[in-house]
Amino acid sequence: MAQPANDLGRFDADPDRSFNMPAAYYTDPGIFEREKQAIFFRSWRFVGHSTQIARPGDYLTQDICGQNVFVVRGHDRELRAFHNVCQHRAHELVRGRKGNLGAVVTCPYHAWAYGLDGALRHARHCEAVKGFDKGDFGLAAVRVEVFCGFVFINLDADARPMAEVYPGFEQTLRAQSPDLDRMVWTDQADFDIAANWKVVAENSLDGYHVFLSGPAHKALGELMDGHNLAMTTHPNWAMLHAHAGTGQNRAYRYETGSGQTDEYVTLYLWPDVLFFTLPAANGLWSFLLAPEGPGRTREEVAAYMPDGAAMDAATAEAVRYMNEELGPEDVDLNTGVQKGLNSRGYRQGRLMVDAVRSDMSEHTIHFVQLQTLKALGDLP
């Protein structure tokens, strides 16, 4: 008899005893629909960087599992976010990822026009419509917050502020990226990955596959000096941190002390955004793992440089390694896992968690799974 989709099997809230979540949590369309409601429509979701929307009228759009939202800079310099839908006949208002709206937001269907504050300014022929009140048709607002210079939105109007949801995160990011307040968005590339968003998130936090004696990422293992990776979990976020090894490694060459940091850091905000630095690289990167379906993830990779400066030679070499070697290796691993999760020969394997939480321990993988199950209400 087939197991119910939300049967946890041998998953345990205690990572020391736990197996992985059952495969259905990565493949079942019904569970993905539940995740949309319980997780993605209630969490802080990454949009971009405040420097991308610096002038009045500048906007960014973001799609949250079919719910499209735009964030715009008002004439008063404030950021506001709205559902991307006209209040007349529901046509999409703003198209494209980014741009400038000028003084008003005008619907391309019937030309209803809204101010950058979301108020309806003009509706053609409204003076002839009995009882028409422009005040009844303002745009539907969405929570927006700037956190560490990055713009986030939340479809839950009652959501707690990000500093409360992610205590200690900002201080940690500032310690690892001393130029944080000078960072300017410089570039972005989007990728389509044939894997569940949790597969991609777990891979990003997986120390077990990043070590010198293992089969994957040997160059990265050298870059991180082998076994010196510390992996910690915190309320709603996690961190991977390693001191750099020698500048003479197979990933890329660099001079110690030449960049903003000689450390490798990945910071994960649950559910689906990561920030990381690389040794000797004078920049910061964000990875948004936006779910597109139970077996597909849109990965948005953006780069930020101090004062928007061009990359120096060491940073460019780090980016080359990330784009041409490390990234493709991880995409291949993610798609391989997703294929296996669809196999009738697999349900759930044992998490490799050790008592000392070493760099080969999978307690960070358990963290992602536990957060998911609690949010879904499948685990108290």
Side-chain angles (χ1 to χ4, degrees), residues 24 27 82 131 149 156 201 211 221 338 342 350 357 360-361 369 376:
T27 63
F82 304 100
D156 181 1
F211 55 97
Q338 191 67 31
N342 282 286
R350 178 65 190 264
R357 303 300 191 258
M360 292 179 63
S361 176
Q369 299 178 7
L376 290 172

Side-chain angles (χ1 to χ4, degrees), residues 231-254:
M231 304 188 297
T232 56
T233 61
H234 310 268
N236 298 311
W237 63 280
M239 178 179 181
L240 272 60
H241 173 224
H243 298 291
T246 172
Q248 307 300 309
N249 61 79
R250 284 178 286 179
Y252 58 91
R253 304 296 179 89
Y254 63 89

Side-chain angles (χ1 to χ4, degrees), residues 347-362:
R347 184 164 184 260
Q348 58 184 152
R350 178 65 190 264
L351 281 167
M352 304 296 286
V353 177
D354 58 38
V356 298
R357 303 300 191 258
S358 74
D359 56 1
M360 292 179 63
S361 176
E362 294 184 316

